[in-house]
Amino acid sequence: SFPVQWNGTVKAMLNYQEPPPEGKRTGRYINCPDEGELVDEHIPTCVDMQDGRKLQPAASLSCEGFCLATNFVTSLSQSDFTEKPERVKSVYYKEIRDLVKAQTGASKVFVFDSTLRNSQEATSLNATGTTKKAAPVLRVHCDYTETGAPRRFVQLASDDDFRTTNEPESFPTKAEAEAIVNDKDGQRYAFINIWKSIDVQNSVLERPLAVCDARSVSDEDRFLYELHFPHRVGENYSLNHTTNSKHKWYTFNKMSSNECLIFKVYDRVEPKFVFHSAWNDPRGGFSSYR
């Protein structure tokens, strides 16, 4: 064995997306037939992975588009996350709402798409819910687009299950949501991701998350990635691998269960989009839940 140097910059391989050939679009089919219109090809690309803990001043939502929250305490046990979905929704969701309000200044926060990820026990890439285990996503992407985020906002306003989970009286109705997204100077809304470990004994060493400084990505670097579900089409952004040399990537190594990586995947104000990806850290060793 040999000592592992966790500080500083390391070389990392990230899976950037190959732009589609003529006549095709980039994306994948999820729980529906492959109609042959989408291609999903990756280009492993070497990047400099910098230590996010060394940033001075510390990373922030208003500058890089991401930040690390420390000293987060949940009243749930590790087993609650996999065995008691009702406690996740009734207790943990409130804790997350309070965290996001404190970090962003938001007046209202609503939680959805809770996902457990585990490298060794994943059932699929797209498993969602409070007990199913999904694989880490080893693909550079951002979860929403300029057009997809407003559409998803309106869709959530029409989702009875979502409204039941999130204090339904306080979320906009479909008509109110449509008015908000159609008023370009109207009320601000954002989609925020919270990434954390639920393993109270081990730090995250295997396939941690990397985030890209939003200021290092130009509009022309990104292109559409379609997610075809049975009843709707979601939109991600992918990044062109030919522009990777200017992208500034960071990871927060050895994250513990009381730390939360918070990052924007859409905001009405800049920075709007934080690209991210799980990655194979050559210094890592074993798995943990997150």
Side-chain angles (χ1 to χ4, degrees):
S1 63
F2 56 91
V4 175
Q5 175 56 259
W6 286 98
N7 297 320
T9 301
V10 297
K11 293 295 182 181
M13 298 300 293
L14 296 182
N15 289 320
Y16 276 67
Q17 204 74 37
E18 175 76 359
E22 186 175 353
K24 298 286 186 178
R25 304 191 305 278
T26 302
R28 69 180 185 272
Y29 299 92
I30 302 171
N31 299 324
C32 59
D34 186 338
E35 298 180 357
E37 298 176 350
L38 305 178
V39 293
D40 190 6
E41 297 294 334
H42 303 140
I43 301 294
T45 304
C46 186
V47 303
D48 288 330
M49 188 65 65
Q50 301 178 70
D51 186 349
R53 297 183 186 276
K54 297 295 184 182
L55 279 169
Q56 292 295 332
S60 68
L61 291 170
S62 59
C63 291
E64 293 86 354
F66 58 84
C67 69
L68 185 70
T70 58
N71 300 317
F72 175 82
V73 178
T74 177
S75 57
L76 270 64
S77 67
Q78 182 173 329
S79 61
D80 285 343
F81 284 96
T82 56
E83 299 172 5
K84 298 180 179 180
E86 71 284 351
R87 278 186 55 77
V88 174
K89 291 184 177 181
S90 64
V91 177
Y92 185 65
Y93 278 20
K94 183 181 185 306
E95 294 171 342
I96 290 297
R97 285 196 290 267
D98 291 343
L99 170 69
V100 174
K101 286 180 180 179
Q103 292 290 328
T104 65
S107 58
K108 297 179 181 179
V109 176
F110 307 91
V111 181
F112 69 103
D113 282 359
S114 175
T115 305
L116 278 176
R117 299 194 183 276
N118 187 288
S119 300
Q120 299 175 355
E121 301 179 20
T123 55
S124 77
L125 186 64
N126 301 106
T128 58
T130 52
T131 58
K132 296 179 181 179
K133 304 175 186 69
V137 181
L138 293 163
R139 177 177 69 84
V140 174
H141 66 288
C142 183
D143 296 8
Y144 292 97
T145 68
E146 197 73 65
T147 57
R151 184 165 61 248
R152 186 66 175 133
F153 183 66
V154 173
Q155 288 172 344
L156 289 171
S158 310
D159 188 325
D160 290 338
D161 288 340
F162 168 79
R163 297 179 68 83
T164 300
T165 303
N166 284 282
E167 302 171 352
E169 72 283 352
S170 61
F171 197 79
T173 64
K174 181 180 179 181
E176 291 169 339
E178 289 174 339
I180 290 172
V181 301
N182 289 330
D183 182 359
K184 301 304 181 184
D185 298 317
Q187 187 174 357
R188 180 182 174 186
Y189 65 96
F191 288 83
I192 304 289
N193 278 11
I194 310 294
W195 193 92
K196 72 177 297 294
S197 173
I198 64 170
D199 189 334
V200 297
Q201 295 181 319
N202 304 303
S203 300
V204 176
L205 298 182
E206 185 181 36
R207 294 184 175 177
L209 195 70
V211 286
C212 187
D213 186 336
R215 300 169 300 179
S216 69
V217 177
S218 303
D219 290 351
E220 56 268 22
D221 295 351
R222 61 187 192 234
F223 60 94
L224 184 64
Y225 183 99
E226 299 180 15
L227 301 164
H228 283 231
F229 297 94
H231 304 296
R232 68 179 182 91
V233 176
E235 293 181 354
N236 283 184
Y237 276 137
S238 290
L239 275 185
N240 193 322
H241 68 94
T242 62
T243 61
N244 77 86
S245 61
K246 66 179 183 177
H247 301 153
K248 295 181 179 179
W249 285 97
Y250 295 90
T251 196
F252 292 83
N253 56 61
K254 300 176 68 175
M255 281 182 61
S256 64
S257 61
N258 67 345
E259 295 180 311
C260 299
L261 181 53
I262 305 173
F263 56 99
K264 295 181 180 183
V265 286
Y266 173 79
D267 194 350
R268 262 200 157 168
V269 303
E270 298 288 350
K272 291 187 173 186
F273 306 106
V274 171
F275 285 83
H276 52 283
S277 176
W279 66 292
N280 290 309
D281 190 337
R283 304 166 296 185
F286 54 86
S287 178
S288 63
Y289 280 117
R290 55 273 196 192

